[in-house]
Amino acid sequence: MNEAKVYPVTHERYSFMVKFSRKGFKPYRRYFHDRSSADTDAAEFNKKLFREGSEGVHIGPRERRELQNLLLILKDRGLTINQAAEFIEKNTRKRSSLTWKDAVFSLLEARERQGVSERTSQNLTSRLKNFAEHSGIKLIDDVGAQDLQEYIYRPCSVRNQINDYAAFSNLFNFLLKRGQIEQSPLARVERPRDTAKKRPAIMKADDAAVFMERIAKHRDGLFVPYFALSLFAGLRPSEIADLDREDIRQKTIRVDGGKMKGRARRNVPLLPNLAKWLNSFSGSLCPHRLDSPVFVEARRLCPVTWKEDVCRHSFISYRMAIVEDERQVSREAGNSPDMIYAAYFELVSSAEAKAYFAISP
């Protein structure tokens, strides 16, 4: 729950409740006789939540007085809370001689053993190396939250900030699991968020038909099973890579692999047009590595500009138009109902959806 919301309640004295909860904090609950008062309270709470975060809205009177005294002491010395925390962290913990370079090398070595793509490995290397060159930091123990905060939130795109945060998270979580650090300095850095609501990129039915026609003729239909599963079952690339023909049943597809995002283990309907594609073209469901040049070549056959997850976005959008139930589609797609409704509701018409799922060999 990202903000306080108003809920109707069956209570002898009250009709509405304002509720906010977050793991690790005492839930916020307030009861009201009328909806107007409840809406006002929720709006005020959410304003405070936006300004101060979950820690701010849950802090008690005693802690607030202590914090005010601390701020006065720091102000007299020209220091911020972050600077004070950095000083305490660096001077009270046991020092380690682990270098940034060795830590990054160990991470990349481990990820390569796990089979991450070369592209992912290069992305991690570049981002972590750039930070070391920018900050001049040599030892892991010299990295503080303020260093990460200033680097992540330097002037650049939000997407770049999000990717930098992910790279740091990857490294520090890896070191935590190995017991090479006691705590992550990233824990005190707020995660960047892209608040702009973007409409998912999808293919029109006509474009999807042209794409599948071209794929069917390309390399004797080698990539037909892969792109059919992408477009008409909404499977993630990593899920298709882990899929076997035995997982495709008479009416459903058993998904039990991939990178396990959300509700990844699930049964996806084997729709009639998808069954025709899979029966007409035998062979491997994922014939090459996802980052291989032949896959790039196949994607270029798409009549519209290729965008990441366009096939999955298309399936969910058109499926929502047919089913009109975010709970069912969420079970099929492996996402939450709230996310499905917020991102895909009424993006396409039922007529467009029928045309889309009529695309057959």
Side-chain angles (χ1 to χ4, degrees):
M1 183 182 296
N2 296 322
E3 61 180 15
K5 294 183 179 179
V6 178
Y7 298 91
V9 294
T10 54
H11 190 278
E12 59 182 12
R13 294 177 58 192
Y14 304 105
S15 300
F16 297 94
M17 174 182 69
V18 175
K19 181 181 177 182
F20 173 81
S21 62
R22 180 185 171 189
K23 187 177 181 180
F25 294 94
K26 182 179 179 181
Y28 174 87
R29 291 191 183 93
R30 295 291 185 275
Y31 295 89
F32 299 90
H33 296 289
D34 59 277
R35 180 65 187 243
S36 177
S37 299
D39 286 337
T40 300
D41 183 82
E44 291 299 321
F45 181 91
N46 288 330
K47 286 180 183 178
K48 188 176 182 182
L49 180 66
F50 179 79
R51 292 194 306 267
E52 303 178 19
S54 295
E55 293 80 1
V57 298
H58 286 94
I59 192 170
R62 187 182 70 179
E63 291 86 356
R64 195 176 293 276
R65 286 194 299 271
E66 291 175 350
L67 179 59
Q68 288 171 342
N69 291 334
L70 174 61
L71 287 172
L72 289 174
I73 294 171
L74 294 176
K75 185 177 181 181
D76 289 341
R77 289 161 174 76
L79 297 173
T80 65
I81 290 180
N82 280 338
Q83 289 171 328
E86 292 283 302
F87 177 83
I88 294 170
E89 183 181 349
K90 289 182 178 180
N91 290 277
T92 59
R93 68 186 179 190
K94 185 178 178 181
R95 298 284 295 173
S96 168
S97 59
L98 179 64
T99 67
W100 181 266
K101 183 177 180 180
D102 288 343
V104 173
F105 179 80
S106 298
L107 170 67
L108 295 173
E109 192 177 47
R111 293 295 179 258
E112 286 176 7
R113 287 198 302 270
Q114 293 169 356
V116 302
S117 67
E118 184 178 349
R119 179 181 176 184
T120 299
S121 181
Q122 289 176 347
N123 179 60
L124 271 174
T125 303
S126 174
R127 293 183 183 280
L128 297 174
K129 180 181 177 182
N130 288 345
F131 169 73
E133 292 176 349
H134 178 271
S135 63
I137 286 173
K138 303 295 184 183
L139 297 177
I140 285 291
D141 267 3
D142 289 333
V143 181
Q146 192 67 24
D147 302 312
L148 298 172
Q149 177 88 18
E150 291 176 356
Y151 181 78
I152 291 172
Y153 286 95
R154 69 195 184 282
C156 62
S157 68
V158 176
R159 176 47 51 188
N160 200 47
Q161 293 173 352
I162 292 172
N163 291 339
D164 279 337
Y165 187 98
F168 291 132
S169 179
N170 211 314
L171 175 64
F172 290 118
N173 286 339
F174 171 76
L175 296 177
L176 279 170
K177 289 178 181 178
R178 283 197 164 193
Q180 292 179 284
I181 59 174
E182 295 179 359
Q183 57 185 5
S184 169
L186 194 65
R188 296 204 309 275
V189 179
E190 185 177 356
R191 183 188 298 271
R193 300 187 185 279
D194 190 353
T195 56
K197 292 185 177 180
K198 298 179 181 178
R199 181 188 178 98
I202 63 174
M203 284 191 213
K204 293 182 179 179
D206 290 344
D207 292 327
V210 170
F211 182 46
M212 286 304 298
E213 183 180 353
R214 292 176 180 176
I215 288 293
K217 296 176 181 178
H218 180 67
R219 292 180 179 263
D220 296 323
L222 178 67
F223 291 99
V224 165
Y226 176 87
F227 285 106
L229 287 165
S230 298
L231 283 167
F232 306 121
L235 301 193
R236 301 177 177 96
S238 61
E239 292 171 342
I240 301 175
D242 287 346
L243 202 67
D244 295 320
R245 285 274 177 177
E246 291 75 18
D247 296 316
I248 301 174
R249 305 167 181 177
Q250 187 174 3
K251 294 184 179 181
T252 61
I253 302 168
R254 178 60 177 169
V255 180
D256 197 21
K259 295 183 179 179
M260 300 306 292
K261 294 172 63 178
R263 307 176 185 183
R265 295 186 62 182
R266 62 195 190 277
N267 288 321
V268 180
L270 179 61
L271 299 177
N273 73 319
L274 174 57
K276 291 179 182 178
W277 284 110
L278 295 178
N279 291 333
S280 300
F281 294 84
S282 58
S284 175
L285 303 179
C286 188
H288 289 276
R289 283 178 60 96
L290 296 171
D291 58 350
S292 65
V294 286
F295 251 116
V296 175
E297 178 186 57
R299 294 185 193 107
R300 287 175 180 160
L301 297 175
C302 185
V304 296
T305 302
W306 185 268
K307 294 186 178 180
E308 187 177 4
D309 293 331
V310 63
C311 296
R312 178 171 167 81
H313 290 324
S314 299
F315 168 80
I316 299 175
S317 301
Y318 290 114
R319 187 67 176 154
M320 265 294 285
I322 293 290
V323 176
E324 297 183 338
D325 184 349
E326 65 271 17
R327 291 169 297 179
Q328 179 180 334
V329 177
S330 74
R331 291 194 295 270
E332 297 173 356
N335 287 105
S336 71
D338 287 346
M339 193 285 289
I340 294 292
Y341 185 86
Y344 300 100
F345 180 65
E346 290 188 342
L347 283 187
V348 297
S349 68
S350 59
E352 291 172 314
K354 290 177 182 177
Y356 180 83
F357 289 113
I359 299 171
S360 302

